[in-house]
Amino acid sequence: MEKLSDIHVRELAAGEFARHPVWVWDDAQEGHHPLAGPGPLPTHLGTLFVRATFTTPTGRRLSGYLVGLQSFYAFGLFVPGRHDVINLNLPDLARPALQALSAQLGGEPILPLQYRVDPPLEGAADISGVFGKI
């Protein structure tokens, strides 16, 4: 995969992931550039933002993205009217965000949350797993 430096966005929105499934920080970590092409996810470019589909315990499917490099420590979810980023390394901030998201979804639980990069990235290993309790 190769970084496309000629495309730059400040904020990652659902539409950005429709255009390009993988993004990285720009050099100043103030915006993002997409990655393109087949192959494994590069580890030399720093934190990746990878389009994924999430499934709640009740079976509700949500679109969003994974955040990490060799393992994923955070995720972003796109729910109508919301864009939440949940960093599992910051539980004091993650819990209230998950509670607010749960309330918007009618009180349904968010965790454990299954994830899958779908469709799979060309030439990359399949990525799937579960975010358990904080």
Side-chain angles (χ1 to χ4, degrees), residues 10-63:
R10 284 283 213 190
E11 299 287 328
L12 290 174
E16 309 309 337
F17 287 97
R19 292 185 324 159
H20 299 282
V22 183
W23 293 78
V24 294
W25 285 113
D26 62 16
D27 292 337
Q29 291 193 349
E30 294 177 354
H32 304 86
H33 294 289
L35 299 183
L41 293 174
T43 58
H44 67 284
L45 293 176
T47 300
L48 302 175
F49 303 83
V50 182
R51 177 184 63 208
T53 300
F54 297 84
T55 307
T56 67
T58 63
R60 184 187 297 246
R61 293 174 57 96
L62 303 170
S63 64

Side-chain angles (χ1 to χ4, degrees), residues 45-105:
L45 293 176
T47 300
L48 302 175
F49 303 83
V50 182
R51 177 184 63 208
T53 300
F54 297 84
T55 307
T56 67
T58 63
R60 184 187 297 246
R61 293 174 57 96
L62 303 170
S63 64
Y65 57 95
L66 299 165
V67 180
L69 187 53
Q70 294 180 348
S71 65
F72 298 103
Y73 61 88
F75 56 92
L77 294 175
F78 300 112
V79 175
R82 296 183 69 104
H83 172 198
D84 292 288
V85 179
I86 311 296
N87 186 332
L88 300 174
N89 290 333
L90 302 171
D92 291 343
L93 297 175
R95 280 188 194 94
L98 287 169
Q99 290 170 344
L101 184 56
S102 173
Q104 181 166 348
L105 297 177

